[in-house]
Amino acid sequence: MIMKYRWVHLSDIHFAYKDYFSNRIRDQLFKKLQQISRQDKVNFLFITGDLTDKNADYTEELYKFINDLLDLLGLDEHHFFIVPGNHDLERTQQRELIIKGIREKNNDEFIFNLDRDTIETLISSQKKYFDLNKKLKKEDYPIQKIHFIKKVDEVNIIHLNTSWLCGIDDEEGSLFIGVNELYNVLKEENISPESLNIAIGHHSFECFHKKEQEQLSSLFKDFNIDFYLSGHVHQPSIRYDCHIGTHFCSCRQMRSDSYDSGGLVIGNIDTEKGNNYIKFFVWKQKGYWAPDTDVGLQAPEGVYKINTHKFPSKESIVVIHKTMNTPIDQKKLLDDMDFFDNVPVYQYPFSNIEINTNEEWLKHKENTKSFVNNIISRLANKMVHIFPLSQIPLLIYLGYLLQDDNNNIRIYQLDEDGEWVLDSNDVNLIPLKSTFIKNNPESKKLVVVIEVSSKINDCDIDIYLNTRENSILQFTIDEPERFKVLYATQVKEIKKKFRREMEKYINYYDEIHLFCAVPAALAVEIGRCILKSMWPKVFLYNYRRNKTPRYEFAFDIN
């Protein structure tokens, strides 16, 4: 079963707690999540408790904060999941007496046999949280069940209310959550071992009583729980229990103080490409986000690579072909994306170049061939992340050398803000229209025009080929402009249309003359469509904005 899911994990918002540092991290969270969501789609947002601080009111400002997060990530209420924390309940004298009595018993059997009135008394302390939950989720919290499961997009989200039996000092290590209540819920659901199963709760696993940990471990194993996401301790952690098959992940808080400056977690499961990981970020009070290097030995650079039987990983490599402007700062790129120093990086050794002569074109064509041939044997069974920003003929040739038989390639693009992006939740698919004009039935030359980033004038083509004497296949979108086609979903849809239409005509022509006004990633994908065994010779032309003619012949391939 192929799975592709990405999530953002936040915890311990403590929104009622406000000071300069906490206000700043929450404001800067939006900028970080915008960058994350444009690198690739986010499927879920998890917040594991303590939305408010010390049972303070859930204000309209908090409600707006969470809704703004969902809008930014392009998520609706069905893809957002929260659980209550120990600050999301009212501490009363009656509640404290009940909890102390339970602790004195120190007996899980006592918990199992709590009467319904006592349970409802304890649960009622979370009423304000339940009201917020209804407002955000547009549905009632299933109070009678205490714990419950939501299924969305073939993923099971197991909600653990770890706070209904908490509320006194020094309770870490002695908490019960009522595993009998959880067991009854799990029995009702048909949780497949093949699906992605994520449990969320406020308290980290170590906060539970030893007897409760034993029973939870057994339930996690029997019901195939893959991840347990939590918070509470305000420190990041990650570990894998191979005996039960569960990954335990704890997130920093979303406030910033002298104890913990705050942070967030990104999870990624992509079984087709073997790109499975959990990545930790920390907020630096000097004013920036950074990889969290304090997670532990399992994630020394802030990234925990998941490589299990259910989620096998593949090695990654980075390929950079950027001749336009200054070279890429590899360290910054790897820090910003999901790669670190141990990932092989192959960078085309020429940058900030102009190509003005036929000899220079042929030189860089040969250099690109040598560059790809040097790494192509290393691509097998690896995730290939391509960062392109070079002249269009070179990028088409790069794609041509890679060919279209590798599904493990991901191509990033620079957006208008200078950030590398891959995909996003709020992508609008842009239809590609095609028009075929057979001007001369005798001609064996097909002029192919692709207008995505800008229009292409016939007069610029006529310098090389008479558009009235050769067949024309024109591809265009409505109102072509830069940055209109930016994301992988858009690029792949246009590529599919281009490839399907081209295959109708390539057998009838000896030459294809390709004039492209396209973004970098689409140029690479167009090159991958030019199959060595099927296409005729292809002539590539390069756009030159401030020169006449606007297009110049670069070189031919195939």
PDB file of all heavy atoms in Angstrom, residues 18 52 56 67 164 173 197 207 253 259 273 280 311 314 337 355 377 419 427 443-444 454 483 501 520 548 550:
ATOM      1  N   LYS A  18       1.450  35.611  27.307  1.00  0.00           N
ATOM      2  CA  LYS A  18       1.917  36.548  26.288  1.00  0.00           C
ATOM      3  C   LYS A  18       3.060  37.397  26.842  1.00  0.00           C
ATOM      4  O   LYS A  18       2.954  37.959  27.929  1.00  0.00           O
ATOM      5  CB  LYS A  18       0.780  37.462  25.822  1.00  0.00           C
ATOM      6  CG  LYS A  18      -0.349  36.719  25.103  1.00  0.00           C
ATOM      7  CD  LYS A  18      -1.421  37.684  24.641  1.00  0.00           C
ATOM      8  CE  LYS A  18      -2.566  36.947  23.975  1.00  0.00           C
ATOM      9  NZ  LYS A  18      -2.147  36.242  22.761  1.00  0.00           N
ATOM     10  N   THR A  52      -4.501  26.744  25.896  1.00  0.00           N
ATOM     11  CA  THR A  52      -4.483  27.942  26.723  1.00  0.00           C
ATOM     12  C   THR A  52      -3.501  27.739  27.867  1.00  0.00           C
ATOM     13  O   THR A  52      -2.775  26.737  27.925  1.00  0.00           O
ATOM     14  CB  THR A  52      -5.887  28.273  27.247  1.00  0.00           C
ATOM     15  OG1 THR A  52      -5.874  29.583  27.830  1.00  0.00           O
ATOM     16  CG2 THR A  52      -6.351  27.258  28.273  1.00  0.00           C
ATOM     17  N   ALA A  56      -7.110  29.567  31.311  1.00  0.00           N
ATOM     18  CA  ALA A  56      -7.615  30.882  30.904  1.00  0.00           C
ATOM     19  C   ALA A  56      -8.612  30.708  29.767  1.00  0.00           C
ATOM     20  O   ALA A  56      -8.666  29.667  29.102  1.00  0.00           O
ATOM     21  CB  ALA A  56      -6.454  31.772  30.456  1.00  0.00           C
ATOM     22  N   ASN A  67      -7.373  29.223  13.132  1.00  0.00           N
ATOM     23  CA  ASN A  67      -7.976  29.277  11.800  1.00  0.00           C
ATOM     24  C   ASN A  67      -7.022  29.843  10.761  1.00  0.00           C
ATOM     25  O   ASN A  67      -7.009  29.397   9.606  1.00  0.00           O
ATOM     26  CB  ASN A  67      -9.268  30.091  11.834  1.00  0.00           C
ATOM     27  CG  ASN A  67     -10.482  29.228  12.093  1.00  0.00           C
ATOM     28  OD1 ASN A  67     -10.666  28.180  11.478  1.00  0.00           O
ATOM     29  ND2 ASN A  67     -11.318  29.639  13.030  1.00  0.00           N
ATOM     30  N   TRP A 164      -7.709  13.881  31.415  1.00  0.00           N
ATOM     31  CA  TRP A 164      -8.947  13.834  32.184  1.00  0.00           C
ATOM     32  C   TRP A 164      -8.723  13.326  33.605  1.00  0.00           C
ATOM     33  O   TRP A 164      -9.518  13.604  34.512  1.00  0.00           O
ATOM     34  CB  TRP A 164      -9.996  12.989  31.463  1.00  0.00           C
ATOM     35  CG  TRP A 164      -9.797  11.501  31.518  1.00  0.00           C
ATOM     36  CD1 TRP A 164      -8.911  10.775  30.806  1.00  0.00           C
ATOM     37  CD2 TRP A 164     -10.516  10.565  32.334  1.00  0.00           C
ATOM     38  NE1 TRP A 164      -9.012   9.435  31.103  1.00  0.00           N
ATOM     39  CE2 TRP A 164     -10.004   9.275  32.040  1.00  0.00           C
ATOM     40  CE3 TRP A 164     -11.549  10.675  33.266  1.00  0.00           C
ATOM     41  CZ2 TRP A 164     -10.483   8.124  32.660  1.00  0.00           C
ATOM     42  CZ3 TRP A 164     -12.019   9.530  33.880  1.00  0.00           C
ATOM     43  CH2 TRP A 164     -11.492   8.268  33.572  1.00  0.00           C
ATOM     44  N   GLY A 173       4.834  10.441  35.717  1.00  0.00           N
ATOM     45  CA  GLY A 173       5.252   9.105  36.106  1.00  0.00           C
ATOM     46  C   GLY A 173       4.183   8.333  36.851  1.00  0.00           C
ATOM     47  O   GLY A 173       4.381   7.154  37.176  1.00  0.00           O
ATOM     48  N   ASN A 197      -1.485   4.788  11.111  1.00  0.00           N
ATOM     49  CA  ASN A 197      -2.230   4.902  12.361  1.00  0.00           C
ATOM     50  C   ASN A 197      -1.455   5.780  13.336  1.00  0.00           C
ATOM     51  O   ASN A 197      -0.369   5.408  13.790  1.00  0.00           O
ATOM     52  CB  ASN A 197      -2.469   3.511  12.959  1.00  0.00           C
ATOM     53  CG  ASN A 197      -3.155   2.581  11.972  1.00  0.00           C
ATOM     54  OD1 ASN A 197      -4.152   2.938  11.363  1.00  0.00           O
ATOM     55  ND2 ASN A 197      -2.608   1.385  11.794  1.00  0.00           N
ATOM     56  N   CYS A 207       5.274  10.009  31.095  1.00  0.00           N
ATOM     57  CA  CYS A 207       4.465  10.609  32.157  1.00  0.00           C
ATOM     58  C   CYS A 207       3.472   9.609  32.758  1.00  0.00           C
ATOM     59  O   CYS A 207       2.928   9.846  33.846  1.00  0.00           O
ATOM     60  CB  CYS A 207       3.689  11.812  31.622  1.00  0.00           C
ATOM     61  SG  CYS A 207       4.725  13.217  31.160  1.00  0.00           S
ATOM     62  N   GLN A 253       7.229  23.431  22.988  1.00  0.00           N
ATOM     63  CA  GLN A 253       6.073  24.304  23.153  1.00  0.00           C
ATOM     64  C   GLN A 253       6.026  25.367  22.053  1.00  0.00           C
ATOM     65  O   GLN A 253       6.996  25.566  21.319  1.00  0.00           O
ATOM     66  CB  GLN A 253       6.116  24.987  24.518  1.00  0.00           C
ATOM     67  CG  GLN A 253       7.325  25.887  24.705  1.00  0.00           C
ATOM     68  CD  GLN A 253       7.354  26.561  26.066  1.00  0.00           C
ATOM     69  OE1 GLN A 253       6.336  26.701  26.735  1.00  0.00           O
ATOM     70  NE2 GLN A 253       8.523  26.989  26.494  1.00  0.00           N
ATOM     71  N   TYR A 259      13.001  28.633  29.859  1.00  0.00           N
ATOM     72  CA  TYR A 259      13.179  27.182  29.942  1.00  0.00           C
ATOM     73  C   TYR A 259      13.323  26.564  28.560  1.00  0.00           C
ATOM     74  O   TYR A 259      14.148  25.686  28.323  1.00  0.00           O
ATOM     75  CB  TYR A 259      11.990  26.558  30.680  1.00  0.00           C
ATOM     76  CG  TYR A 259      12.010  25.049  30.704  1.00  0.00           C
ATOM     77  CD1 TYR A 259      12.954  24.355  31.453  1.00  0.00           C
ATOM     78  CD2 TYR A 259      11.082  24.316  29.969  1.00  0.00           C
ATOM     79  CE1 TYR A 259      12.975  22.965  31.468  1.00  0.00           C
ATOM     80  CE2 TYR A 259      11.091  22.926  29.985  1.00  0.00           C
ATOM     81  CZ  TYR A 259      12.042  22.259  30.735  1.00  0.00           C
ATOM     82  OH  TYR A 259      12.066  20.900  30.748  1.00  0.00           O
ATOM     83  N   LYS A 273       8.466   6.708  -2.568  1.00  0.00           N
ATOM     84  CA  LYS A 273       9.801   7.254  -2.798  1.00  0.00           C
ATOM     85  C   LYS A 273      10.750   6.956  -1.632  1.00  0.00           C
ATOM     86  O   LYS A 273      11.918   7.330  -1.687  1.00  0.00           O
ATOM     87  CB  LYS A 273       9.714   8.757  -3.057  1.00  0.00           C
ATOM     88  CG  LYS A 273       8.976   9.088  -4.361  1.00  0.00           C
ATOM     89  CD  LYS A 273       8.900  10.569  -4.590  1.00  0.00           C
ATOM     90  CE  LYS A 273       8.391  10.881  -5.997  1.00  0.00           C
ATOM     91  NZ  LYS A 273       7.100  10.301  -6.315  1.00  0.00           N
ATOM     92  N   PHE A 280      12.714  18.181  13.183  1.00  0.00           N
ATOM     93  CA  PHE A 280      12.499  19.070  14.314  1.00  0.00           C
ATOM     94  C   PHE A 280      13.107  20.445  14.027  1.00  0.00           C
ATOM     95  O   PHE A 280      14.243  20.539  13.556  1.00  0.00           O
ATOM     96  CB  PHE A 280      13.143  18.500  15.583  1.00  0.00           C
ATOM     97  CG  PHE A 280      12.568  17.186  16.029  1.00  0.00           C
ATOM     98  CD1 PHE A 280      12.938  15.989  15.420  1.00  0.00           C
ATOM     99  CD2 PHE A 280      11.647  17.131  17.067  1.00  0.00           C
ATOM    100  CE1 PHE A 280      12.410  14.773  15.836  1.00  0.00           C
ATOM    101  CE2 PHE A 280      11.113  15.925  17.494  1.00  0.00           C
ATOM    102  CZ  PHE A 280      11.493  14.740  16.876  1.00  0.00           C
ATOM    103  N   PHE A 311       7.793   1.275   6.737  1.00  0.00           N
ATOM    104  CA  PHE A 311       8.187   2.543   6.127  1.00  0.00           C
ATOM    105  C   PHE A 311       9.664   2.488   5.726  1.00  0.00           C
ATOM    106  O   PHE A 311      10.515   3.136   6.349  1.00  0.00           O
ATOM    107  CB  PHE A 311       7.959   3.706   7.097  1.00  0.00           C
ATOM    108  CG  PHE A 311       6.570   3.770   7.663  1.00  0.00           C
ATOM    109  CD1 PHE A 311       6.346   3.571   9.016  1.00  0.00           C
ATOM    110  CD2 PHE A 311       5.481   4.011   6.843  1.00  0.00           C
ATOM    111  CE1 PHE A 311       5.071   3.626   9.549  1.00  0.00           C
ATOM    112  CE2 PHE A 311       4.197   4.062   7.372  1.00  0.00           C
ATOM    113  CZ  PHE A 311       3.991   3.876   8.721  1.00  0.00           C
ATOM    114  N   LYS A 314      14.724   5.312   1.423  1.00  0.00           N
ATOM    115  CA  LYS A 314      15.669   5.309   0.314  1.00  0.00           C
ATOM    116  C   LYS A 314      16.658   6.443   0.540  1.00  0.00           C
ATOM    117  O   LYS A 314      16.313   7.490   1.091  1.00  0.00           O
ATOM    118  CB  LYS A 314      14.950   5.517  -1.020  1.00  0.00           C
ATOM    119  CG  LYS A 314      14.080   4.360  -1.457  1.00  0.00           C
ATOM    120  CD  LYS A 314      13.466   4.639  -2.820  1.00  0.00           C
ATOM    121  CE  LYS A 314      12.566   3.490  -3.261  1.00  0.00           C
ATOM    122  NZ  LYS A 314      11.894   3.780  -4.554  1.00  0.00           N
ATOM    123  N   MET A 337      15.907  22.785   3.407  1.00  0.00           N
ATOM    124  CA  MET A 337      15.111  21.667   2.930  1.00  0.00           C
ATOM    125  C   MET A 337      15.242  20.495   3.912  1.00  0.00           C
ATOM    126  O   MET A 337      15.493  20.687   5.079  1.00  0.00           O
ATOM    127  CB  MET A 337      15.550  21.275   1.518  1.00  0.00           C
ATOM    128  CG  MET A 337      15.589  22.456   0.543  1.00  0.00           C
ATOM    129  SD  MET A 337      14.004  23.341   0.380  1.00  0.00           S
ATOM    130  CE  MET A 337      13.028  22.114  -0.464  1.00  0.00           C
ATOM    131  N   ILE A 355      25.904  32.638 -22.424  1.00  0.00           N
ATOM    132  CA  ILE A 355      26.276  31.799 -23.552  1.00  0.00           C
ATOM    133  C   ILE A 355      25.883  32.543 -24.816  1.00  0.00           C
ATOM    134  O   ILE A 355      24.693  32.778 -25.066  1.00  0.00           O
ATOM    135  CB  ILE A 355      25.566  30.421 -23.487  1.00  0.00           C
ATOM    136  CG1 ILE A 355      25.851  29.754 -22.130  1.00  0.00           C
ATOM    137  CG2 ILE A 355      26.020  29.535 -24.627  1.00  0.00           C
ATOM    138  CD1 ILE A 355      25.138  28.440 -21.938  1.00  0.00           C
ATOM    139  N   SER A 377      24.811   6.687 -12.616  1.00  0.00           N
ATOM    140  CA  SER A 377      24.913   5.334 -12.056  1.00  0.00           C
ATOM    141  C   SER A 377      24.581   5.316 -10.574  1.00  0.00           C
ATOM    142  O   SER A 377      24.310   4.257 -10.000  1.00  0.00           O
ATOM    143  CB  SER A 377      26.320   4.779 -12.275  1.00  0.00           C
ATOM    144  OG  SER A 377      27.275   5.564 -11.588  1.00  0.00           O
ATOM    145  N   GLU A 419      12.526  31.599  -2.734  1.00  0.00           N
ATOM    146  CA  GLU A 419      12.494  30.378  -1.947  1.00  0.00           C
ATOM    147  C   GLU A 419      12.291  29.178  -2.873  1.00  0.00           C
ATOM    148  O   GLU A 419      11.503  29.240  -3.829  1.00  0.00           O
ATOM    149  CB  GLU A 419      11.360  30.418  -0.918  1.00  0.00           C
ATOM    150  CG  GLU A 419      11.475  31.543   0.103  1.00  0.00           C
ATOM    151  CD  GLU A 419      12.563  31.297   1.124  1.00  0.00           C
ATOM    152  OE1 GLU A 419      13.021  30.142   1.250  1.00  0.00           O
ATOM    153  OE2 GLU A 419      12.954  32.257   1.811  1.00  0.00           O
ATOM    154  N   VAL A 427      -2.896  24.522  -4.577  1.00  0.00           N
ATOM    155  CA  VAL A 427      -2.513  24.588  -5.982  1.00  0.00           C
ATOM    156  C   VAL A 427      -3.763  24.646  -6.861  1.00  0.00           C
ATOM    157  O   VAL A 427      -4.702  23.873  -6.673  1.00  0.00           O
ATOM    158  CB  VAL A 427      -1.666  23.356  -6.375  1.00  0.00           C
ATOM    159  CG1 VAL A 427      -1.465  23.302  -7.872  1.00  0.00           C
ATOM    160  CG2 VAL A 427      -0.325  23.403  -5.664  1.00  0.00           C
ATOM    161  N   SER A 443       5.856  19.160 -45.535  1.00  0.00           N
ATOM    162  CA  SER A 443       6.953  19.496 -44.629  1.00  0.00           C
ATOM    163  C   SER A 443       7.171  18.387 -43.607  1.00  0.00           C
ATOM    164  O   SER A 443       6.225  17.814 -43.066  1.00  0.00           O
ATOM    165  CB  SER A 443       6.660  20.806 -43.907  1.00  0.00           C
ATOM    166  OG  SER A 443       7.642  21.059 -42.931  1.00  0.00           O
ATOM    167  N   LYS A 444       8.427  18.100 -43.358  1.00  0.00           N
ATOM    168  CA  LYS A 444       8.809  17.115 -42.350  1.00  0.00           C
ATOM    169  C   LYS A 444       9.336  17.781 -41.070  1.00  0.00           C
ATOM    170  O   LYS A 444       9.939  17.138 -40.232  1.00  0.00           O
ATOM    171  CB  LYS A 444       9.866  16.166 -42.912  1.00  0.00           C
ATOM    172  CG  LYS A 444       9.334  15.218 -43.989  1.00  0.00           C
ATOM    173  CD  LYS A 444       8.285  14.271 -43.402  1.00  0.00           C
ATOM    174  CE  LYS A 444       7.810  13.258 -44.419  1.00  0.00           C
ATOM    175  NZ  LYS A 444       6.798  12.335 -43.850  1.00  0.00           N
ATOM    176  N   SER A 454       5.501  33.149 -20.833  1.00  0.00           N
ATOM    177  CA  SER A 454       5.272  34.341 -21.652  1.00  0.00           C
ATOM    178  C   SER A 454       4.807  33.908 -23.026  1.00  0.00           C
ATOM    179  O   SER A 454       4.852  32.724 -23.372  1.00  0.00           O
ATOM    180  CB  SER A 454       6.542  35.193 -21.760  1.00  0.00           C
ATOM    181  OG  SER A 454       7.542  34.493 -22.485  1.00  0.00           O
ATOM    182  N   PHE A 483       6.017  32.642 -12.820  1.00  0.00           N
ATOM    183  CA  PHE A 483       5.561  32.189 -11.509  1.00  0.00           C
ATOM    184  C   PHE A 483       4.097  31.737 -11.500  1.00  0.00           C
ATOM    185  O   PHE A 483       3.557  31.436 -10.447  1.00  0.00           O
ATOM    186  CB  PHE A 483       5.773  33.257 -10.432  1.00  0.00           C
ATOM    187  CG  PHE A 483       7.184  33.748 -10.340  1.00  0.00           C
ATOM    188  CD1 PHE A 483       7.484  35.083 -10.553  1.00  0.00           C
ATOM    189  CD2 PHE A 483       8.225  32.872 -10.067  1.00  0.00           C
ATOM    190  CE1 PHE A 483       8.792  35.544 -10.474  1.00  0.00           C
ATOM    191  CE2 PHE A 483       9.531  33.318  -9.986  1.00  0.00           C
ATOM    192  CZ  PHE A 483       9.818  34.658 -10.192  1.00  0.00           C
ATOM    193  N   GLU A 501      -0.097  14.827 -26.366  1.00  0.00           N
ATOM    194  CA  GLU A 501      -0.300  15.463 -27.674  1.00  0.00           C
ATOM    195  C   GLU A 501       0.888  15.229 -28.604  1.00  0.00           C
ATOM    196  O   GLU A 501       0.716  14.983 -29.804  1.00  0.00           O
ATOM    197  CB  GLU A 501      -0.538  16.963 -27.495  1.00  0.00           C
ATOM    198  CG  GLU A 501      -1.859  17.312 -26.852  1.00  0.00           C
ATOM    199  CD  GLU A 501      -3.054  16.816 -27.666  1.00  0.00           C
ATOM    200  OE1 GLU A 501      -3.101  17.101 -28.883  1.00  0.00           O
ATOM    201  OE2 GLU A 501      -3.909  16.126 -27.091  1.00  0.00           O
ATOM    202  N   ALA A 520      11.586  26.510 -14.962  1.00  0.00           N
ATOM    203  CA  ALA A 520      12.726  25.587 -14.963  1.00  0.00           C
ATOM    204  C   ALA A 520      12.308  24.129 -14.794  1.00  0.00           C
ATOM    205  O   ALA A 520      12.767  23.245 -15.513  1.00  0.00           O
ATOM    206  CB  ALA A 520      13.709  25.987 -13.866  1.00  0.00           C
ATOM    207  N   THR A 548      18.316  40.861 -30.146  1.00  0.00           N
ATOM    208  CA  THR A 548      17.613  40.574 -31.381  1.00  0.00           C
ATOM    209  C   THR A 548      18.481  39.643 -32.219  1.00  0.00           C
ATOM    210  O   THR A 548      19.662  39.934 -32.427  1.00  0.00           O
ATOM    211  CB  THR A 548      17.334  41.872 -32.166  1.00  0.00           C
ATOM    212  OG1 THR A 548      16.589  42.766 -31.317  1.00  0.00           O
ATOM    213  CG2 THR A 548      16.538  41.584 -33.422  1.00  0.00           C
ATOM    214  N   ARG A 550      15.113  37.497 -30.595  1.00  0.00           N
ATOM    215  CA  ARG A 550      14.811  37.112 -29.218  1.00  0.00           C
ATOM    216  C   ARG A 550      15.210  35.668 -28.943  1.00  0.00           C
ATOM    217  O   ARG A 550      15.563  35.327 -27.824  1.00  0.00           O
ATOM    218  CB  ARG A 550      13.319  37.302 -28.926  1.00  0.00           C
ATOM    219  CG  ARG A 550      12.895  38.774 -28.841  1.00  0.00           C
ATOM    220  CD  ARG A 550      13.413  39.407 -27.559  1.00  0.00           C
ATOM    221  NE  ARG A 550      13.012  40.781 -27.433  1.00  0.00           N
ATOM    222  CZ  ARG A 550      11.888  41.193 -26.873  1.00  0.00           C
ATOM    223  NH1 ARG A 550      11.049  40.296 -26.400  1.00  0.00           N
ATOM    224  NH2 ARG A 550      11.596  42.460 -26.785  1.00  0.00           N
TER     225      ARG A 550
END
